[in-house]
Amino acid sequence: MVELKTDTSIDAMHEAGQVVARALTAVQEAADVGVSLLELDEVARAVLREAGASSPFLGYRPSFAPTPFPAVICASVNDAIVHGIPTAYRLRDGDLVSIDCGAKLGGWAGDSAISFTVGRPRPADLRLIDTAERALAAGIEAAVVGNRIGDIAHAVGTVCRAAGYGIPEGFGGHGIGRQMHEDPSVPNEGRPRRGLPLRHGMVLAIEPMLIAGGKDGYHEAPDGWTLRTNDGSRAAHTEHTVAITDSGPRVLTDRGGSQAPRP
């Protein structure tokens, strides 16, 4: 069941989304050669504490997971696509890092992800990240009243495939509200004009995931959480929480301070 949020609720979700935005900004600023993934998790925890927010990631245990998730961020490095558990691994020159973070504030959730490089970047990684960001932007542009879920999926998938990248099957975005994961599912590939109609008050987490090698295959790491590319190629992950409004898509986790007009 898809819950339509009121304008007041969307404003409250924006507050939660801005906590996530600050956490991701702080983590990216702290990421450097020699810094551990556990240290980055502590950076995000400090931002959540200061805001009086809780983490929807910490202790989360879906049916597939062997253990509750032990951190407030997912930290996925190089060939890890998503759901990486922060460890004592210390970042190395040229690493590609994807960070996913969530926050709950006032009963509402926000969810966002970024990918970036540490040290001297590989041109191929910069192209991969840029494509992920363009795919996210295309998905957001399609998130308008009158379109359908398939239009978002088609927009994201078209950008990814045109660049020659793979898309992990079965993983994508989702509805979000009082819970981090709500209906509907938002695939990263699909047919336009298909699926649920987009209505004012729907709030979606749109999240492209790209595999550099061009293949869609992935496997689960021994930790039971991390997904890695089958071919060992690198991956990128971007995400924003987006409200569908009569005035156009409103990005609730925007990190640049700009917002689409409120309804």
Side-chain angles (χ1 to χ4, degrees):
M1 178 178 174
V2 176
E3 177 192 4
L4 298 180
K5 279 71 176 179
T6 66
D7 295 345
T8 299
S9 297
I10 291 173
D11 285 343
M13 290 191 69
H14 174 246
E15 295 302 315
Q18 289 305 291
V19 175
V20 178
R22 293 196 297 273
L24 288 175
T25 297
V27 167
Q28 184 172 4
E29 290 175 349
D32 202 353
V33 175
V35 175
S36 76
L37 301 181
L38 284 172
E39 289 169 336
L40 296 183
D41 187 65
E42 286 298 327
V43 169
R45 287 176 189 252
V47 174
L48 267 59
R49 275 196 306 270
E50 183 178 358
S54 61
S55 169
F57 289 18
L58 185 62
Y60 180 59
R61 189 178 185 182
S63 58
F64 69 81
T67 57
F69 197 77
V72 305
I73 61 170
C74 296
S76 305
V77 180
N78 296 332
D79 66 327
I81 307 169
V82 287
H83 302 164
I85 295 176
T87 65
Y89 174 84
R90 294 192 178 276
L91 295 172
R92 300 172 183 173
D93 187 43
D95 277 348
L96 193 164
V97 184
S98 296
I99 302 292
D100 194 353
C101 184
K104 286 198 76 174
L105 185 69
W108 296 99
D111 189 9
S112 185
I114 55 173
S115 288
F116 55 86
T117 59
V118 174
R120 292 167 294 182
R122 300 181 182 184
D125 289 345
L126 296 180
R127 177 174 176 267
L128 178 66
I129 293 168
D130 177 71
T131 305
E133 292 174 345
R134 289 192 295 108
L136 177 58
I140 293 171
E141 186 176 358
V144 296
V145 172
N147 272 357
R148 293 175 176 266
I149 291 291
D151 293 301
I152 298 175
H154 179 71
V156 170
T158 296
V159 173
C160 298
R161 295 300 190 190
Y165 295 129
I167 301 171
E169 184 178 358
F171 285 86
H174 50 87
I176 184 172
R178 293 195 178 277
Q179 303 300 322
M180 180 172 60
H181 291 130
E182 297 183 352
D183 291 333
S185 174
V186 186
N188 283 328
E189 193 167 33
R191 299 175 63 183
R193 311 309 304 161
R194 298 295 181 94
L196 193 70
L198 303 180
R199 299 171 58 191
H200 178 93
M202 292 175 65
V203 183
L204 307 175
I206 301 172
E207 51 179 319
M209 305 167 194
L210 284 65
I211 298 175
K215 305 292 186 180
D216 296 351
Y218 60 88
H219 62 276
E220 186 179 277
D223 63 21
W225 278 97
T226 309
L227 298 184
R228 295 190 178 276
T229 63
N230 280 349
D231 59 7
S233 66
R234 295 190 169 198
H237 175 210
T238 57
E239 178 183 18
H240 271 310
T241 297
V242 181
I244 313 299
T245 81
D246 290 329
S247 300
R250 182 180 176 193
V251 180
L252 305 182
T253 48
D254 182 78
R255 293 180 294 278
S258 61
Q259 293 291 327
R262 294 188 181 188

